[in-house]
Amino acid sequence: MTKLERISNAIIEAIESGALREGHRLPSEEELAVQHRVSVGTMQKALARLAHAGLIRREHGRGTFISGHKVAPADVRHLRFLDEQGHPLTSYVHAHGVKRMKRKGPWSDFLEGQAFVRVDRTINIGGKFDLSSEFWLREEDFDKLGGVERQELESNLRELLLHRLALPTLRVDQWIRFAPPTAVAVRALGLDPEKPGFLMELRGYTLRDKPLYYQRVCAGPFSERLVIVRQGPQVDGPP
């Protein structure tokens, strides 16, 4: 590992651990150079690299600050629904609760933790149909949020992770398929567990391509027009 990589990793680890949050001011270049046992020139190069990545911002005459929400996140609008005229349908989110567990599954395979938190929610799409959402985090990451109100659970959870922990969603992998609904979706939506429906799996990554969250979105059969928003070309058509 080069000196630049070592310095960058140390600052990123401080952001991930919560030791550095949005708006925190870093020590001067000279102080950081002494702390990391490098020259001031090397420290300036490391800070320039972090600034280019958007993790810090350097303000002339004021100092260097953690960027927080100014880190450019991935587009987190994974699903949008349109009516027949092409107008977007409003989403209404209802949080059912938070469950802590150590049960294994695709979430543990991805997140690689020992204990997890699952946020269960239903999302009503324009009064026309409902989705069931299961949002998984490592228990340690959820606890770092420092307590979450119901209203916050009904907001954008990715934005919550960004603002509270300075952990942006920088990349998302998405898969869609027809499959039997999850047990959570069966209870929340009253679905037939034997009949396949819409299933979407999302895996979100944060700094240094580290796994951040795992999410499943389920629904029974529906006929509304579905738009899947991705980093690349959009896929537009019926489910």
Side-chain angles (χ1 to χ4, degrees):
M1 184 179 298
T2 67
K3 292 180 180 179
L4 294 181
E5 290 172 337
R6 177 167 56 81
I7 296 167
S8 297
N9 283 345
I11 294 176
I12 290 173
E13 286 174 359
I15 295 174
E16 292 174 332
S17 69
L20 292 175
R21 300 288 181 90
E22 176 189 345
H24 279 189
R25 181 177 179 177
L26 294 177
S28 68
E29 295 174 351
E30 291 77 10
E31 291 173 320
L32 286 172
V34 172
Q35 178 183 334
H36 291 277
R37 299 180 180 179
V38 297
S39 68
V40 173
T42 297
M43 179 55 62
Q44 290 174 336
K45 291 179 182 178
L47 294 176
R49 174 183 293 187
L50 292 170
H52 180 73
L55 297 177
I56 63 174
R57 66 181 188 274
R58 309 181 76 182
E59 300 182 9
H60 181 69
R62 294 193 64 225
T64 303
F65 300 85
I66 300 300
S67 295
H69 69 275
K70 294 181 175 60
V71 178
D75 189 340
V76 295
R77 300 171 300 144
H78 302 299
L79 287 175
R80 289 192 290 115
F81 296 87
L82 311 177
D83 61 19
E84 293 182 356
Q85 290 73 41
H87 301 135
L89 297 173
T90 304
S91 300
Y92 303 93
V93 180
H94 177 72
H96 295 285
V98 174
K99 296 184 181 296
R100 297 174 182 265
M101 61 185 67
K102 296 184 178 180
R103 183 161 56 90
K104 304 298 182 180
W107 52 89
S108 60
D109 294 339
F110 175 64
L111 296 173
E112 298 180 340
Q114 298 299 319
F116 309 92
V117 168
R118 189 187 73 208
V119 180
D120 294 338
R121 306 187 297 174
T122 55
I123 306 169
N124 180 267
I125 307 299
K128 296 178 180 291
F129 63 97
D130 292 314
L131 302 172
S132 170
S133 170
E134 304 164 40
F135 193 94
W136 298 82
L137 290 168
R138 298 180 192 85
E139 186 176 54
E140 60 194 70
D141 289 336
F142 183 83
D143 289 341
K144 288 177 185 176
L145 293 173
V148 182
E149 301 291 335
R150 183 190 184 101
Q151 183 179 0
E152 293 174 312
L153 292 176
E154 295 177 346
S155 64
N156 190 319
L157 297 179
R158 302 171 192 86
E159 292 292 329
L160 186 65
L161 292 170
L162 173 57
H163 289 286
R164 290 276 190 91
L165 305 182
L167 294 178
T169 299
L170 297 179
R171 180 167 69 88
V172 180
D173 294 334
Q174 307 169 59
W175 292 267
I176 57 173
R177 58 191 170 99
F178 286 105
T182 67
V184 172
V186 169
R187 293 193 299 270
L189 306 181
L191 301 178
D192 185 334
E194 302 299 325
K195 291 185 178 180
F198 171 79
L199 175 63
M200 184 176 192
E201 295 177 272
L202 305 100
R203 294 169 172 82
Y205 299 81
T206 187
L207 305 172
R208 294 190 293 184
D209 218 31
K210 179 181 177 180
L212 178 61
Y213 67 83
Y214 171 85
Q215 185 177 15
R216 289 192 298 202
V217 178
C218 291
F222 56 86
S223 59
E224 304 299 326
R225 189 180 180 203
L226 168 65
V227 177
I228 304 170
V229 181
R230 299 180 61 88
Q231 289 285 98
Q234 294 187 9
V235 179
D236 189 354

